[in-house]
Amino acid sequence: MPDLLLELRSEEIPARMQRKAAGDLKKLVTDALVEAGLTYEGAREYWTPRRLTLDIRGLTARSADQREERKGPRTDAPEKAIEGFLRGAGLSSVSEAQVVSDPKKGDFYVAVISRPGRPAEEIIADVMPGIIRNFPWPKSMRWGAASMPKGMRYAGIEGKGPESLRWVRPLQSIVCVFGPEHEETQVIPFEIDGLTASNVTYGHRFHAPEAITVRRFEDYASSLEKAKVMLDADRRKDVILHDARDLAFASGLDLIEDEGLLEEVSGLVEWPHVLMGEFEKEYLGIPSEIIRLTIKTNQKCFVTRPQGGEGLSNRFILVSNIEAKDGGKEIVHGNGKVVRARLSDARHFWTRDQGDLPDLGTLVESAKKFDLDLKKPLDQRMAKLDALNVTFHAKLGTQGERVRRIRDLAQQLAPIVGADPTLVDRAAVLAKADLRTEAVGEFPELQGLMGRKYATLQGENPSVAAAIEDHYKPQGPSDRVPDDKVAITVALADKLDTLVGFWAIDEKPTGSKDPFALRRAALGVVRILLERKVRLPLKEFLTRSFYRLLAELYYADKFSSLERIDELKDQGVQDDFVDDLSARFGGSVKALDPEDDYAIAAFYPGWGEEKAADLLSFFHDRLKVYLRDIGARYDIIDAVLTPDVDDLLLVARRVEALTAFITSEDGKNLLAGTKRAVQLLAAEEKKGTVIADGVSEELLTLDAEKALWSAITAASKEASDAIAKEDFRSAMEALSKLRAPVDRFFEDVLVNDEDAAIRANRLALLKAIREATGTVADFSKISG
């Protein structure tokens, strides 16, 4: 069976786009070929900075013939209906259609459509131009005459405008070769925008720029290798990594590995050549994180450290795309000059951030607002952040206002977490201060980390310094969770303020879009609560937070038009609510406390509760994802997680206990006994059968139902006592004792007794079982 070799060669493709683009090419081509009726044995994609390559093996030489029978209208149908059927089937007259008889429906037309198979070469030539023209690059461009605006003429050439080919970088050549493994191959010469596919490619831009004629993948890959092009990206990564490790080791150093940088560098070179450069040791006084980011961001180089030691060395590893005749001396020298210049800038940022700002006199008011000490550099930066009125979000105010909200939330959370409120307050105030440092301005990735370093330098408590860095964490499912109680508190406050704020202005995630990373923030809250064992009543906390935010954003404007509180009655606020407010605040609007949740709720009754319920549901979704990722069964999660539950740690503990219990013999008994009772009860409820409000002992006539009621009463009390102690396993063990009385009840008792009162009482017994077990979980949702 024949193979297909495809190469799209262009100017340098951005490294971050290469891997996905190669995968997209593979999917688009193979999907198109399969849809056209071809099959293949295997396909693999390759990429370098200047080419995307696809190797498809075992492609069928021709698509299969197709025969389709298309049913049409009855023979006595209106003429228009018959004409439409003929057009759709590609028939010129009814004589070309068959007539089929149906005993029930009568005679109707059937069109037999035969489509002969097509050669693979024809199909490939057909699909490739569309795939190339519509390729899903994140960003693309036109070039040459085609890049001129439509209608513009230059040197007698008219630009083709928007209809011309767009590609990530100028497309230079196309290889498309097809044929059997051991026979002569052929070129499929499709054309797109003046480029015609051929069997000619080119090697390394500098080492081997001559044309290379290829026939199939094996000689294509080997020819490129000879022409200094390493086609396999993963092999390039492996070569770079091992050569860098060896070079570092030979100098008594360890390579500091960076998978993201390795991926990027492998996408910048076709023929990697690893070299070592150095900079002056005096730069090692800069924090290692700044050095590493400076060298990585500006020069795409790796840093090293002394073998078995900490900190960095003054040697760095660079990867060149050429084998220089001088062994790379000039390349190393040039990179070293740039690295030194960048490190000099970094040292300047580091030094400046530890000094005084030149405009301290303008920061006094902001300093008072946040209890800042303007003798300390980090305090100055926080005052500057507030004084500049840097916008956090157009609808949510400035960064300074956000810090104040985080500060208030953190104070409410401190006793819940068990953190020192004084340290929490200081950490919350300084948490965003490093956003105004020059180091973070140059390297935003260092926010938090630089704040910790500057806080330590100015003598802050270690817990405060740690919280400044860790309040951003966790930033993903694999990121670590803060462990210091001060950091835990500020991290929760930061994330909850973000979620409450964006929920309040209806900027919630939709589908795959989450521009403000709210899913990540919610998962961060979930992980902190569960992994650090924090009990937070979310519903009440969120409701208060929504009303406080509302007070901050809209309170002043809403009240500015009022003289007295009783004027609220004219705006539709309930009379008793207004009277209560008047009694509390003496009737004067000016006496109202902007921080009073009750007061602001007067204008938006129920708003905070509705928002809190919606956000709580979002937390439930993130909790489900987290629990499933650690192995919990979806049905057990659903059995425990009801819409009103807001103590997420308690949910996790119940899921853990139920998971362990449900596979035991007692667990199987509990599940079996409960399900039988609950299913029968649900069926009767659906039919509208009358069920008594409670169990009447006078109507219990049979020993089995008396025994069941006694067992329910005892088990309910025992389970309630255990739940009060949060001993869920003991609660389940108590309820599992209902299995025998339930079985006996169903054996000896007819639930649907002819006497309506007895029937309603017996159904109330089943309802009591559901209510008792419902204190632990909804067992009807558990499979098995």
Side-chain angles (χ1 to χ4, degrees), residues 76 95 122 180 216 262 313 316 492 517 532 600 671 741 752 769:
D76 57 357
S95 62
E122 184 180 318
R216 53 179 57 84
L262 181 61
S313 79
F316 61 92
L492 283 172
R532 295 297 175 255
I600 194 65
L671 188 59
N752 288 318
I769 294 173

Side-chain angles (χ1 to χ4, degrees), residues 430-724:
L430 294 179
K432 306 296 181 183
D434 68 352
L435 295 179
R436 292 306 306 167
T437 62
E438 294 193 39
V440 173
E442 181 72 11
F443 301 112
E445 305 96 316
L446 294 178
Q447 61 184 342
L449 188 147
M450 294 310 302
R452 179 175 192 163
K453 290 187 178 296
Y454 294 135
T456 301
L457 284 172
Q458 69 178 36
E460 298 295 335
N461 184 284
S463 289
V464 171
I468 293 172
E469 177 182 4
D470 289 353
H471 83 280
Y472 289 106
K473 298 182 178 299
Q475 295 195 37
S478 59
D479 194 16
R480 68 178 177 85
V481 174
D483 50 15
D484 183 280
K485 289 185 177 182
V486 174
I488 290 170
T489 306
V490 181
L492 283 172
D494 178 57
K495 291 168 178 59
L496 288 168
D497 175 74
T498 298
L499 290 158
V500 167
F502 285 107
W503 238 255
I505 62 173
D506 288 323
E507 290 281 2
K508 299 183 287 187
T510 55
S512 61
K513 295 182 179 179
D514 187 10
F516 303 109
L518 302 183
R519 291 188 181 93
R520 185 175 70 187
L523 182 59
V525 172
V526 169
R527 287 191 60 201
I528 291 172
L529 295 180
L530 269 55
E531 295 178 30
R532 295 297 175 255
K533 308 292 187 291
V534 177
R535 302 285 298 276
L536 176 64
L538 273 173
K539 189 185 298 183
E540 177 188 350
F541 189 86
L542 293 175
T543 301
R544 292 181 61 195
S545 298
F546 276 115
Y547 279 127
R548 284 181 181 274
L549 179 65
L550 201 62
E552 177 181 310
L553 298 180
Y554 304 115
Y555 182 94
D557 293 339
K558 194 73 177 178
F559 279 86
S560 61
S561 61
L562 301 178
E563 291 290 334
R564 295 189 57 76
I565 292 175
D566 56 18
E567 293 177 38
L568 290 171
K569 294 179 181 179
D570 298 332
Q571 300 190 17
V573 180
Q574 292 180 355
D575 290 355
D576 57 348
F577 198 98
V578 177
D579 292 340
D580 188 15
L581 282 176
S582 295
R584 293 175 63 192
F585 296 103
S588 171
V589 169
K590 293 180 180 179
L592 282 173
D593 180 3
E595 296 292 326
D596 192 288
D597 306 337
Y598 189 78
I600 194 65
F603 296 101
Y604 299 89
W607 178 85
E609 289 80 1
E610 291 174 8
K611 289 288 185 183
D614 189 37
L615 182 50
L616 180 61
S617 175
F618 185 69
F619 275 115
H620 284 179
D621 291 339
R622 296 301 97 198
L623 176 64
K624 289 178 181 179
V625 170
Y626 175 82
L627 292 175
R628 287 173 187 170
D629 285 346
I630 61 175
R633 280 169 38 182
Y634 74 92
D635 57 332
I636 290 179
I637 300 171
D638 289 343
V640 170
L641 191 59
T642 60
D644 292 331
V645 172
D646 69 343
D647 187 337
L648 304 188
L649 179 59
L650 201 61
V651 171
R653 287 177 174 173
R654 288 188 180 216
V655 168
E656 182 181 4
L658 187 55
T659 299
F661 184 74
I662 206 69
T663 55
S664 68
E665 193 61 36
D666 283 342
K668 293 173 184 176
N669 287 336
L670 176 57
L671 188 59
T674 301
K675 276 200 165 184
R676 189 173 182 184
V678 169
Q679 286 170 357
L680 176 58
L681 178 64
E684 294 303 317
E685 286 176 330
K686 190 174 183 181
K687 290 189 291 185
T689 306
V690 175
I691 302 170
D693 292 335
V695 176
S696 172
E697 295 191 37
E698 291 78 10
L699 294 175
L700 300 175
T701 59
L702 301 177
D703 290 343
E705 56 185 336
K706 291 177 182 178
L708 178 57
W709 176 238
S710 177
I712 292 171
T713 304
S716 296
K717 183 180 185 309
E718 192 177 339
S720 296
D721 292 343
I723 289 171

